[in-house]
Amino acid sequence: MLFVNDPKMHPMQLFLRNMLQDVTKMRRDDMGDAMLAELSQTYPDGLKMASVIITMVPIMLVYPFLQKYFAAGVTLGAVKE
């Protein structure tokens, strides 16, 4: 985060964090204090949960193909001679 200046090279987690901050800031600027108190947790929390799902999907798609290597590494490290 600190050393990468090119936005194209930022990791997905940083992109999702910046998106969440932008949406939260935009909603604060657009709403009055009364509406903000009522709706402040609904939309950002939904966006957080959607970003968690978006982050998990690639890992869940790749893991079944690499599972045998993880299992082999765990058993190899557990065997003591």
Side-chain angles (χ1 to χ4, degrees):
M1 275 185 350
L2 298 175
F3 301 114
V4 179
N5 293 327
D6 187 12
K8 294 179 194 174
M9 300 297 291
H10 286 171
M12 181 174 53
Q13 288 81 4
L14 182 59
F15 171 74
L16 293 171
R17 178 183 152 280
N18 290 339
M19 183 177 67
L20 182 62
Q21 283 182 341
D22 291 343
V23 168
T24 305
K25 184 179 180 292
M26 181 178 63
R27 288 182 59 83
R28 284 186 189 149
D29 292 344
D30 291 344
M31 292 184 180
D33 290 334
M35 287 186 69
L36 180 63
E38 183 179 336
L39 297 174
S40 65
Q41 292 300 319
T42 306
Y43 189 70
D45 285 345
L47 190 58
K48 285 179 192 177
M49 294 305 118
S51 65
V52 166
I53 297 299
I54 291 170
T55 306
M56 285 176 36
V57 166
I59 297 168
M60 292 172 59
L61 291 176
V62 170
Y63 182 75
F65 299 108
L66 300 176
Q67 183 178 7
K68 62 181 174 185
Y69 299 111
F70 288 124
V74 168
T75 57
L76 182 65
V79 174
K80 294 184 180 182
E81 294 182 29

